[in-house]
């Protein structure tokens, strides 16, 4: 026998049909959640950075079946407090130094909740958050020193922004050649080649694969001794491919390489791209806003001439995950790549701007990204953004100095973005790369600090990234102490 859902609702108690909730229950649960969030965020520092997850816990999370009957709303908070929050990645904690993974800005946390309540869909139709997304994209463009014409979209992160960029570059390139479709497309698409430095993020090669470029059309160009793309090597690679009848369509520069924080030269790459008809995409997922920082700005001369720029506000700016952005100075190229019509999506767009779904692959899109980004940017203000990045540069400097001054540690070149790469001086024993991997694992397992390793100049090195506004110099000392403690566990006592 079937029931109408309304027959099953406990209407005799005056409760609305789930997933709805009565105003009183909703208010009480929101207040309890807010209380917990503020306590959690302020007390986090006293907890381990992360802790191992027991196998039983993993199994519970992976395999717990859905119960037949629904549970009370209050169980959401209980569940997060008891089952989720004790096992974080660790990036909320001030002694977390792995990858480029920041803690959430309070303004963003509040905005995410508020944005969920509004629940605007930012791909189609008309609503205030879609306009705010356009506004926040322009704020990012202003910080990045891109032209006033710049528009773009928010994305789930840098990987998605890079994917949109390569798809846009490909469409732009083929359309200009008259090879957007038909036999010309088949002929030309099979000859496209893509350039980036060997230090570029793996999401660039992944995006290339997603748009249908096979690995043998990818050209990771050697970087120089400072991990920057070498323009001479790039020119040589492009020339060789042109001579071979291939079609160089795009070069990707990196602003803030993941391993060591290097910034590729922009102007020589733009010049080559203009001359050979390539698109210049800059991947600034970590370092895209360097133009806003006087100490870094000279390296960003010419950034306004790139064809597209990825920035990742969930990295440097602490906007809650996931908030990335693709910025495009000539946004009509985004629309050429992504505008598709359908009978069920018609609008009198009149003189309004194209829907945001015409600039990306998503249709139903969250407005929470725009609101969280707007809230975080406005809480900081323009000077606050500059000051935050400068603060990280200072912390990185202090960490590098401590490492360089320590007889048991060897500092390796890195920067200008705030990261320190280092090794144990004269490690004893078999394989120094494995030793450093073990040290990172031991530091992670002890739970007092957290860092990861990276391959730099063909060696495995310890890498500590500064992107946490709660990190203090005490945390730097703690990190060094933990690394040395982990190294001691490996080495036999030194002869005196
Ligand atoms: C982090 C990063 C990415 C990927 O961004 P996600 O937000 O993790 O998808 C791409 N490029 C660079 C240079 C990065 O540092």
């Amino acid at each position: 026998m079937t029931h109408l859902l309304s027959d099953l609702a406990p209407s005799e108690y005056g409760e609305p049909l789930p997933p709805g909730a009565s105003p009183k229950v909703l208010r009480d649960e929101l207040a309890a959640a807010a209380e917990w969030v503020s306590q959690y965020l302020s007390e986090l520092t006293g907890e381990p950075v992360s802790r191992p997850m027991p196998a039983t816990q993993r199994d519970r999370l992976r395999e717990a079946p859905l119960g037949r009957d629904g549970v009370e709303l209050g169980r959401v908070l209980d569940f997060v407090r008891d089952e989720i929050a004790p096992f974080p990645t660790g990036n909320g904690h001030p002694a977390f130094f792995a990858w480029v993974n920041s803690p959430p800005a309070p303004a963003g946390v509040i905005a995410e909740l508020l944005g969920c309540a509004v629940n605007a869909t930012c791909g189609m139709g008309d609503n205030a958050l879609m306009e705010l997304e356009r506004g926040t994209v322009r704020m990012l463009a202003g910080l990045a020193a891109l032209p006033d014409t710049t528009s773009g979209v928010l994305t789930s992160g840098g990987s998605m922004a890079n994917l949109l960029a390569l798809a846009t570059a490909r469409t732009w390139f083929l359309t200009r050649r008259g090879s957007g479709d038909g036999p010309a497309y088949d002929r030309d698409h099979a000859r496209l080649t893509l350039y980036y430095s060997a230090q570029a993020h793996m999401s660039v090669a992944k995006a290339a694969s997603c748009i249908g470029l096979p690995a043998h059309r990818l050209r990771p160009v050697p970087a120089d001794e400072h991990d920057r793309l070498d323009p001479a090597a790039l020119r040589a690679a492009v020339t060789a491919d042109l001579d071979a009848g291939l079609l160089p369509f795009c070069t990707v520069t990196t602003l803030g390489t993941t391993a060591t924080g290097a910034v590729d030269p922009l102007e020589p790459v733009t010049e080559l791209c203009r001359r050979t008809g390539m698109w210049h995409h800059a991947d600034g997922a970590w370092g895209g806003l360097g133009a806003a920082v006087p100490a870094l700005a000279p390296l960003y001369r010419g950034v306004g001439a790139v064809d597209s720029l990825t920035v990742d506000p969930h990295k440097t700016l602490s906007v809650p995950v996931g908030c990335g952005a693709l910025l495009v100075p000539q946004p009509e190229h985004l629309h050429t790549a992504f505008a598709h019509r359908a009978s069920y999506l018609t609008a009198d767009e009149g003189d309004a701007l194209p829907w945001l779904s015409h600039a990306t692959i998503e249709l139903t899109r969250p407005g929470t990204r725009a609101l969280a980004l707007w809230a975080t940017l406005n809480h900081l203000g323009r000077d606050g953004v500059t000051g935050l990045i400068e603060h990280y540069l200072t912390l990185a400097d202090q960490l590098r100095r401590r490492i360089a001054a320590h007889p048991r540690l060897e500092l390796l070149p890195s920067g200008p973005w705030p990261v320190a790469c280092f090794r144990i001086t004269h490690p004893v024993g078999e394989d120094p790369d494995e030793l450093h991997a073990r040290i990172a694992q031991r530091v992670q397992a002890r739970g007092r600090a957290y860092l990861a390793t990276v391959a730099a100049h063909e060696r495995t090195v310890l890498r500590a990234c500064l992107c946490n506004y709660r990190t203090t110099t005490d945390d730097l000392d703690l990190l060094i102490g933990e690394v040395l403690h982990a190294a001691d566990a490996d080495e036999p006592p030194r002869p005196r």
Side-chain angles (χ1 to χ4, degrees):
M1 183 176 140
T2 57
H3 297 273
L4 283 176
L5 263 178
S6 52
D7 292 339
L8 296 171
S11 51
E12 60 267 38
Y13 309 119
E15 288 295 319
L17 179 67
S22 75
K24 173 167 171 24
V25 168
L26 181 59
R27 192 187 56 236
D28 290 352
E29 293 306 329
L30 280 171
E35 185 62 38
W36 181 82
V37 167
S38 65
Q39 193 181 341
Y40 171 76
L41 290 178
S42 47
E43 291 178 0
L44 196 78
T45 303
E47 294 284 310
V49 181
S50 69
R51 51 167 79 76
M53 206 181 313
T56 50
Q57 172 74 5
R58 276 184 212 282
D59 289 349
R60 241 194 340 270
L61 294 174
R62 288 180 188 170
E63 283 159 27
L66 177 62
R68 185 165 186 281
D69 298 320
V71 299
E72 287 163 6
L73 208 51
R75 290 288 294 280
V76 178
L77 175 56
D78 295 345
F79 179 75
V80 171
R81 188 188 51 222
D82 300 340
E83 311 277 335
I84 302 295
F87 306 102
T89 310
N91 53 315
H93 198 285
F96 183 90
F97 296 91
W99 312 302
V100 189
N101 220 333
S102 50
V109 173
I110 297 167
E112 288 270 341
L113 173 64
L114 300 174
C116 276
V118 173
N119 203 32
T121 156
C122 286
M124 66 226 188
D126 189 21
N127 63 67
L129 282 178
M130 202 149 72
E131 294 297 355
L132 189 71
E133 179 164 342
R134 296 188 170 106
T136 52
V137 161
R138 289 181 57 78
M139 287 179 199
L140 292 175
L143 289 165
L146 296 191
D148 279 349
T149 55
T150 302
S151 184
V153 281
L154 301 183
T155 63
S156 57
S159 303
M160 185 57 82
N162 285 340
L163 174 60
L164 298 181
L166 292 197
T168 304
R170 184 256 313 267
T171 299
W172 167 82
F173 182 86
L174 292 178
T175 307
R176 255 180 15 142
R177 286 177 66 83
S179 334
D181 198 2
Y185 176 93
D186 292 338
R187 188 191 61 223
D188 286 356
H189 198 280
R191 294 190 292 149
L192 298 175
T193 47
L194 173 71
Y195 305 81
Y196 48 85
S197 106
Q199 291 294 322
H201 192 264
M202 61 82 185
S203 59
V204 174
K206 193 194 268 192
S209 152
C210 288
I211 66 161
L213 296 190
H216 72 280
R217 292 280 176 264
L218 309 186
R219 302 288 183 263
V221 176
D224 68 14
E225 72 275 21
H226 303 292
D227 292 336
R228 298 172 304 204
L229 182 133
D230 174 0
L234 173 65
R235 273 191 295 273
V238 170
T239 305
D241 284 334
L242 285 170
D243 289 349
L246 295 170
L247 295 175
F249 82 103
C250 177
T251 294
V252 178
T253 49
T254 307
L255 310 180
T257 58
T258 312
T260 63
V263 174
D264 286 347
L266 286 165
E267 284 175 323
V269 174
T270 300
E271 188 274 325
L272 179 69
C273 286
R274 293 282 182 277
R275 196 153 49 73
T276 55
M278 282 191 287
W279 181 276
H280 181 178
H281 173 61
D283 177 5
W286 184 13
L289 302 184
V293 182
L296 300 175
L299 297 171
Y300 288 75
R301 228 186 346 253
V303 70
V306 301
D307 295 303
S308 53
L309 173 69
T310 288
V311 295
D312 223 0
H314 66 203
K315 287 186 170 168
T316 314
L317 296 181
S318 273
V319 175
V321 170
C323 181
L326 180 67
L327 311 177
V328 185
Q330 292 180 272
E332 63 274 19
H333 299 318
L334 262 182
H335 302 139
T336 310
F338 293 110
H340 284 256
R341 305 274 155 187
S343 62
Y344 40 84
L345 295 172
T346 52
D348 177 18
E349 285 173 12
D351 49 19
L353 290 164
W355 287 352
L356 287 176
S357 59
H358 293 323
T360 181
I361 51 186
E362 298 170 316
L363 174 57
T364 303
R365 319 172 55 248
T368 45
R369 287 176 198 149
L371 196 60
L373 175 56
W374 175 88
T376 308
L377 284 173
N378 277 274
H379 188 217
L380 282 164
R382 209 188 147 98
D383 287 351
V385 170
T386 302
L388 182 64
I389 298 172
E390 285 172 342
H391 176 65
Y392 295 147
L393 297 179
T394 305
L395 277 177
D397 221 44
Q398 289 169 333
L399 179 57
R400 291 187 193 118
R401 278 171 209 268
R402 280 164 163 77
I403 293 166
H406 202 290
R408 290 190 61 199
L409 299 175
E410 175 196 359
L411 179 70
L412 303 164
S414 67
W417 279 83
V419 65
C421 293
F422 58 110
R423 307 245 299 183
I424 301 292
T425 319
H426 309 307
V428 292
E430 24 36 287
D431 185 333
D433 285 349
E434 277 175 22
L435 166 69
H436 287 90
R438 273 201 305 279
I439 288 174
Q441 280 159 10
R442 280 199 198 111
V443 170
Q444 293 172 7
R446 226 159 92 94
R448 301 178 62 188
Y450 199 107
L451 88 173
T453 57
V454 77
H457 302 272
E458 283 152 29
R459 299 193 296 176
T460 301
V461 308
L462 299 168
R463 175 185 179 283
C465 183
L466 286 303
C467 62
N468 187 318
Y469 58 85
R470 302 171 77 169
T471 300
T472 66
T473 48
D474 286 349
D475 298 303
L476 307 182
D477 293 329
L478 171 69
L479 175 70
I480 289 177
E482 288 298 295
V483 165
L484 294 173
H485 181 273
D488 282 341
D490 221 84
E491 298 197 13
R494 311 184 140 225
R496 305 203 166 228

